[in-house]
Amino acid sequence: MTGAASASFTADDYKARMERAARQAADAGLAGLLVAPGPDLVWLTGYTPTAVTERLTLLVLAPGRDPVLVVPTLEAPDAERALGACALTLRDWTDGKDPYAATAALLDADGRFGISDNAWAMHLLGLQRTLPGTSYASLTEALPMLRAVKDAAELELLAAAGAAADAAFEEIRNVAFAGRRESDVAADLAGLLRRFGHSQVDFTIVASGPNGANPHHEVGDRVIERGDMVVLDFGGLRDGYGSDTSRTVHVGEPTDEERRVHDLVREAQEAGFRAVRPGVACQEVDRAARAVIADAGYGEYFIHRTGHGIGVTTHEPPYMIEGEEQPLVPGMCFSVEPGVYLPGRFGVRIEDIVTVTGDGGRRLNNTAREMVIVD
């Protein structure tokens, strides 16, 4: 997380997050949570190690106990400067000592713990050797909604990230497409995201013509031609919070079929957005968008979920997909991004980040969803 994002939160915010996480762990029947460096640690404490190495760094959260951050001695000064540090105890360990023994003293010897998905296998195995009676579940599996509901400050940062991505689209629609490589336009997009405040660019998909039928097309050297449909999907982190938006543009005038498919996806995206309201299951957003496309005879060409959560990462729970019965809660943020992908021909995707409000949803992306013609 960048310093600008950290400045939006206080030590009390991080304290409340750690307390909430410990309560949720208890409610899930866990003895506690073990949080390695990564997005969960940033969100809970405001701390990002300058380098993630083989040395163990681990936040231990347990119901009824003060949070403890186990950290290498040489990194303790940096950890002490994190905004959330005053709400936890630092327990440092020096090279040559056993970090697993230091951590084991904080854990129930036969407890079941949630552990960060990105924890190193060597660290998990080290804990298991030291405490063979313990067991573990991935944090995403055990507490999938831990970061899902955003507070007012987080919503403000997500809205700013969305506005920055919108500004990048308004600029990119004015550049030349025809005769240039996909990689050229992708570089333009990355530069625009940074110009509008992004510190990290996670992806800049530019999928032209038949490449648009691949939702996660890797940008290549294909030269964009007049008559191409071009899927643009781009985002990253601005002040520590994510952006992710997709628009599909056309180089020159589209055919009737291309316009019809684009309008269909736009209608599906609107239907998905209209389905957003508190208490509705995530799968209902997927069903609403998918029904529009299926009813028009293109159901087999909508080949991915309708959406994913976003926050301190650009992909996280909740997921808008069939079978996900998690009810929507005000403050959740996620994408609504239906698409149609016609192999060997073209693809269309339209994506906004949406947040759940008290009585519906609010878009955090507001550029034109109608067909945009580019040169």
Side-chain angles (χ1 to χ4, degrees), residues 61-129:
L61 297 176
R65 303 182 190 176
D66 292 336
V68 178
L69 181 63
V70 179
V71 63
T73 300
L74 75 169
E75 295 175 10
D78 286 340
E80 289 172 348
R81 287 193 289 270
L83 278 177
C86 62
L88 53 78
T89 300
L90 284 179
R91 178 167 295 187
D92 64 316
W93 62 276
T94 58
D95 285 352
K97 302 294 184 181
D98 184 353
Y100 308 114
T103 307
L106 306 170
L107 308 181
D108 293 340
D110 57 355
R112 181 169 177 77
F113 297 88
I115 189 166
S116 300
D117 296 45
N118 56 327
W120 286 23
M122 64 180 286
H123 297 321
L124 176 57
L125 293 170
L127 289 172
Q128 288 179 317
R129 283 194 302 270

Side-chain angles (χ1 to χ4, degrees), residues 263-273 288-290 292-293 336 338:
D263 286 346
L264 174 65
V265 174
R266 181 168 54 84
E267 291 169 12
Q269 206 269 348
E270 177 68 18
F273 170 70
R290 199 168 299 275
V292 173
I293 292 173
V336 178

